[in-house]
Amino acid sequence: SPQYGEDCRSKTYPPSGPTFRGHVPTYVINLDLPPSKRWDKLMHDKKTELKTVVENIKDIANTFFPSGKVVDIVDHKIAHLTSTLPYPFSEELQGIANKLQMGGSFKCCAVFCRWDVKNNSWIITRELKPIVVNLDFQRNNKTVFKSTNFAGYIGMVSGVKPDKFTLTMNERFSLDGGYIGMFEWFLGRRDGMWMGFLTRTVLENATSYQDAKDKLSKTRLLAPAYFILGGKNSGEGCVITRSRTATLDIWDLDIKKGTWYVVETNYDRWKPPLVLDNRRTPAMKCLNQTQQENISLPTIYDVLSTKPVLNKLTVCTTLMEVYNGHTETYLRECPDPCSPW
Ligand SMILES: *[C@@H]1O[C@H](CO)[C@@H](O)[C@H](O)[C@H]1NC(C)=O
Ligand SMILES: *[C@@H]1O[C@H](CO)[C@@H](O)[C@H](O)[C@H]1NC(C)=O
Ligand SMILES: *[C@@H]1O[C@H](CO)[C@@H](O)[C@H](O)[C@H]1NC(C)=O
Ligand SMILES: *[C@@H]1O[C@H](CO)[C@@H](O)[C@H](O)[C@H]1NC(C)=O
Ligand SMILES: *[C@@H]1O[C@H](CO)[C@@H](O)[C@H](O)[C@H]1NC(C)=O
C-alpha cells in the first residue's frame, strides 16, 4: 500500500513533535470597513509569501502550457471577469490586488487556487503554510464568525459562527465537475456561485444551523462540493453532498441509529473511496476505537494525526467547537514514511 498507515495515534495533544510545525497568527477582518480596505493589514504582512505562491502557480501553468499564453490570458483577459463577482467579493479582490500591486494574475489565482493540480501540490503545500491565518470577522467590534484560511483567498474553506454552527467545504470530483460550471461562468452564465463564496456568505449571514443547511442545499454552485455542517443541539451535524444544481444526499447524525459521527474525505459516502486514497477507513477505525464518550478536541486531534489521514498534502489541522466559536489551528508536517496524499 502506498498509504503508510499506522495504528491510531493517542496522546498527541497538545501538539508537539515532528508532525507539529507551528501556530498560526490571527487577524481581525472588520466588516464595518469598505470591502476594498478590509484586507489591508493582512496583505501588508503577507505580501512576500503570497507573491511567491502566485509566481509558483504561474510557473505551473507555464509548465503545462509552455507558450506562456495561458498566463497571458489569465493576466489580461479573464481577470477582468472577476469584476462581475457579486458584492462584496469583487470589491475585496480589487482592494487586495491594489495592495499587492499585482493586478489581474492575482485576482485570477485567488479564484483558482482551489483547483490546483495534485502533483505540484507538494510545492504548494509547503508554500501555503506561511500564509495560513486565523481570521476573526467582526461587526461593531464583535465576532460574527471565525475562519481558518489562506491569506488572499476571500472565499472560505472552513469556519465557525459562535453558538450557531461550524462549516467546512470539501472538494468533490465528478464527471460533471467544476470545469463545466467554470466554462459556463466564463461564457456569461453567472448564476452559479463559487463554492468558497457561498461558504463565506453562509458564515457571515446565515442565522442558524437550519438556515445554513437550507442555503448550502439550495444554492446553485459552479462545481460539486461537500459541505460539513455542525450545530450545537443533539442531532445537528451533517454532510451535504452537492452536484452543481442539486443536493444528492444529506447524511445527518442519528444517535438512535448509532450514527454519532459523520466523516468526509472527498468521496461520496455511498461509494468506496479510491483504493489509492483511502483515508476514510482509517479515520472511521480510529473514531470507532475512541468511542463517543471520549470525543474531545484532543482525541479528534489524535485521529487527524494518524497517517494517512495526516499526509504530505496536509497543510494544517483546525479544530472547531461551536460553543463560543472556539478554534485552534496547527501547521503540520508529515515526516517519512508518509503517504503523498
Ligand atoms: C511532478 O512534476 C514534476 C515537474 O513539474 C516532475 O519532475 C515530477 O516527476 C512529477 N511527479 C510526479 C509524481 O508525477
Ligand atoms: C471598536 O473599538 C475601537 C477601539 O476599541 C473603537 O475606537 C471603535 O469606535 C469601535 N467601533 C465600533 C463600531 O464600536
Ligand atoms: C451579508 O449581508 C449584508 C447585509 O445584507 C451584506 O451587506 C453583505 O454583503 C452580506 N455578505 C456577503 C458575504 O454576502
Ligand atoms: C465503525 O463502526 C461502524 C458502526 O459500528 C461500522 O459500521 C463501521 O464498519 C466501522 N468502521 C471501521 C473502519 O471500523
Ligand atoms: C473511553 O471511555 C471509556 C469509558 O468512559 C474508558 O473506559 C476508556 O478508557 C476510554 N478510552 C480512551 C482511549 O480514553
Side-chain angles (χ1 to χ4, degrees):
S1 161
Q3 289 233 230
Y4 305 108
E6 61 184 350
D7 290 343
C8 298
R9 301 291 307 271
S10 63
K11 303 195 168 59
T12 59
Y13 187 97
S16 66
T19 69
F20 172 60
R21 166 77 177 270
H23 294 278
V24 167
T26 297
Y27 286 81
V28 171
I29 305 296
N30 184 354
L31 294 169
D32 295 322
L33 289 175
S36 63
K37 300 277 179 232
R38 290 173 185 170
W39 300 91
D40 282 3
K41 170 90 175 78
L42 176 57
M43 286 308 117
H44 175 266
D45 291 0
K46 295 289 181 186
K47 193 171 185 163
T48 312
E49 294 88 342
L50 197 50
K51 282 190 172 178
T52 309
V53 175
V54 174
E55 285 309 314
N56 209 332
I57 292 174
K58 279 196 202 175
D59 284 350
I60 294 168
N62 281 331
T63 306
F64 282 96
F65 307 96
S67 71
K69 276 217 176 73
V70 166
V71 169
D72 278 357
I73 291 172
V74 165
D75 267 352
H76 301 300
K77 302 250 163 47
I78 293 175
H80 85 271
L81 283 174
T82 56
S83 64
T84 66
L85 293 172
Y87 181 92
F89 301 112
S90 173
E91 291 79 1
E92 288 188 15
L93 274 175
Q94 190 59 55
I96 292 173
N98 290 347
K99 193 82 189 163
L100 295 175
Q101 295 172 319
M102 289 186 80
S105 58
F106 168 74
K107 286 196 268 181
C108 196
C109 288
V111 169
F112 277 99
C113 65
R114 304 284 309 151
W115 275 272
D116 226 315
V117 212
K118 266 204 170 175
N119 176 22
N120 288 284
S121 296
W122 292 305
I123 313 164
I124 285 295
T125 304
R126 192 176 66 229
E127 290 181 353
L128 284 176
K129 283 177 195 172
I131 63 167
V132 176
V133 285
N134 286 322
L135 302 174
D136 183 343
F137 286 78
Q138 300 190 349
R139 262 188 218 120
N140 299 319
N141 287 344
K142 218 172 144 269
T143 299
V144 178
F145 69 99
K146 292 185 195 169
S147 165
T148 301
N149 215 335
F150 302 116
Y153 185 63
I154 59 167
M156 297 293 132
V157 180
S158 64
V160 54
K161 186 145 188 162
D163 297 310
K164 298 272 196 303
F165 57 86
T166 59
L167 172 59
T168 304
M169 179 189 69
N170 270 14
E171 264 142 15
R172 175 168 178 264
F173 306 97
S174 88
L175 279 181
D176 172 23
Y179 303 103
I180 298 173
M182 281 188 276
F183 274 122
E184 281 187 359
W185 186 77
F186 289 129
L187 296 176
R189 177 165 185 167
R190 306 271 156 74
D191 59 342
M193 204 167 182
W194 293 95
M195 289 68 64
F197 294 170
L198 175 59
T199 316
R200 158 84 184 268
T201 303
V202 166
L203 282 163
E204 198 170 310
N205 285 341
T207 52
S208 65
Y209 174 85
Q210 191 57 47
D211 186 26
K213 195 173 175 180
D214 289 347
K215 289 188 161 96
L216 295 167
S217 307
K218 289 175 187 154
T219 308
R220 190 186 165 94
L221 299 174
L222 279 178
Y226 303 100
F227 295 112
I228 302 107
L229 189 64
K232 69 170 184 179
N233 299 310
S234 180
E236 286 186 349
C238 66
V239 177
I240 301 168
T241 304
R242 284 291 314 263
S243 71
R244 287 185 298 128
T245 53
T247 291
L248 304 181
D249 179 63
I250 298 182
W251 183 17
D252 284 301
L253 289 180
D254 188 342
I255 307 292
K256 285 203 191 94
K257 286 192 187 137
T259 308
W260 61 271
Y261 64 78
V262 289
V263 167
E264 181 52 57
T265 64
N266 305 81
Y267 296 98
D268 296 345
R269 67 153 164 147
W270 57 92
K271 292 182 194 153
L274 208 63
V275 175
L276 286 177
D277 179 26
N278 188 352
R279 289 161 289 130
R280 182 202 290 169
T281 307
M284 290 179 76
K285 187 182 100 184
C286 297
L287 284 164
N288 286 359
Q289 277 183 25
T290 306
Q291 302 176 353
Q292 185 181 359
E293 63 264 33
N294 299 327
I295 282 294
S296 61
L297 295 187
T299 56
I300 293 175
Y301 189 83
D302 285 339
V303 175
L304 296 171
S305 300
T306 301
K307 297 170 190 173
V309 179
L310 179 78
N311 59 63
K312 289 211 183 275
L313 279 176
T314 309
V315 173
C316 61
T317 297
T318 299
L319 306 172
M320 299 188 286
E321 193 166 25
V322 69
Y323 291 99
N324 297 321
H326 175 79
T327 66
E328 300 174 18
T329 300
Y330 304 100
L331 297 176
R332 305 303 301 266
E333 286 292 342
C334 192
D336 289 323
C338 175
S339 176
W341 52 77

